[in-house]
Amino acid sequence: MLMAHPAILSDLVKEYETLRALNAQNAVSTEVRRRIEDVTYTLCVSTGTRDADSALAVARKQLAARRQDDVALEA
């Protein structure tokens, strides 16, 4: 399976979380809702999943593993 570059994956997770926070405040426009759908789709494709919760879980796991690899290389 192809894996998204960690920087891109991290940006997607941050953007998703920011947009969901806006959505929780009920202050979203149609444009924001559409962007949430786009980011969700991209996260799902990038992680090989079918829903936002699974995509976030996989993305966070991949990012954590990458951070551990980076720490091991620095040692």
Side-chain angles (χ1 to χ4, degrees):
M1 176 173 96
L2 293 176
M3 291 181 65
H5 189 279
I8 292 176
L9 201 54
S10 179
D11 288 347
L12 285 168
V13 170
K14 288 175 190 172
E15 184 174 5
Y16 179 85
E17 290 171 344
T18 299
L19 292 168
R20 293 304 294 179
L22 284 173
N23 190 43
Q25 297 172 4
N26 296 320
V28 294
S29 65
T30 303
E31 182 180 325
V32 171
R33 279 190 218 105
R34 189 171 302 127
R35 186 65 189 146
I36 291 170
E37 291 173 6
D38 290 346
V39 172
T40 301
Y41 174 81
T42 306
L43 267 171
C44 288
V45 169
S46 298
T47 58
T49 58
R50 295 179 154 245
D51 62 84
D53 291 335
S54 298
L56 287 170
V58 170
R60 288 180 178 130
K61 185 176 179 178
Q62 288 178 5
L63 290 169
R66 178 61 187 231
R67 282 190 293 272
Q68 288 177 344
D69 290 346
D70 289 345
V71 169
L73 289 175
E74 292 172 2

